[in-house]
Amino acid sequence: QVQLVESGGGLVQAGGSLRLSCAASGSIFGIDSMGWCRQAPGKQRELVAVVRSGGNTNYADSVKGRFTISRDNAKNTVDLQMNSLNPDETALYYCYADIDYSGGKLLTRFWGQGTQVTVSS
């Protein structure tokens, strides 16, 4: 069994910063990509940032230059530093990880339960 647990959400004023963290635990033989998505009320879930096992990163255009994703392969964690937040980024933020949980090299995507980020104007 694999679990992803997020932390670090909360309420912040426009222009402020938050740091989200996500830790994967359980039966883990390897992790490929780790990333963050967000879903605002009435909107589709969108990819915010992803970091691959080799360290390559990709960001949504809307967050480039303001958000930074990082991971610690030894601890199976992924963080998202968010700066200069604006109110329309209020959403439930989810982390995910593509994990080999059986040792058979097959990757399965696991999701966290989500952490709320609210940006006030």
Side-chain angles (χ1 to χ4, degrees):
Q1 191 76 347
V2 173
Q3 279 191 319
L4 272 64
V5 178
E6 299 119 332
S7 61
L11 175 64
V12 65
Q13 287 189 330
S17 298
L18 279 176
R19 187 176 184 89
L20 306 182
S21 295
C22 175
S25 62
S27 175
I28 298 173
F29 287 81
I31 302 179
D32 189 8
S33 296
M34 303 184 82
W36 290 90
C37 295
R38 64 189 178 191
Q39 187 166 20
K43 295 187 178 181
Q44 287 189 330
R45 187 176 296 191
E46 63 170 345
L47 179 66
V48 175
V50 58
V51 55
R52 293 171 177 81
S53 57
N56 289 338
T57 58
N58 284 99
Y59 296 90
D61 287 343
S62 61
V63 308
K64 285 180 181 177
R66 298 185 297 117
F67 289 15
T68 302
I69 190 170
S70 59
R71 66 189 280 175
D72 185 328
N73 291 328
K75 296 181 179 178
N76 293 332
T77 60
V78 60
D79 291 350
L80 184 68
Q81 177 66 41
M82 306 185 293
N83 299 329
S84 302
L85 285 159
N86 56 70
D88 62 5
E89 294 181 303
T90 293
L92 198 57
Y93 283 69
Y94 298 89
C95 73
Y96 72 87
D98 296 332
I99 296 174
D100 173 7
Y101 68 91
S102 67
K105 306 296 185 183
L106 181 65
L107 297 174
T108 300
R109 179 159 293 183
F110 291 88
W111 292 88
Q113 79 285 357
T115 185
Q116 179 67 39
V117 172
T118 302
V119 185
S120 63
S121 56

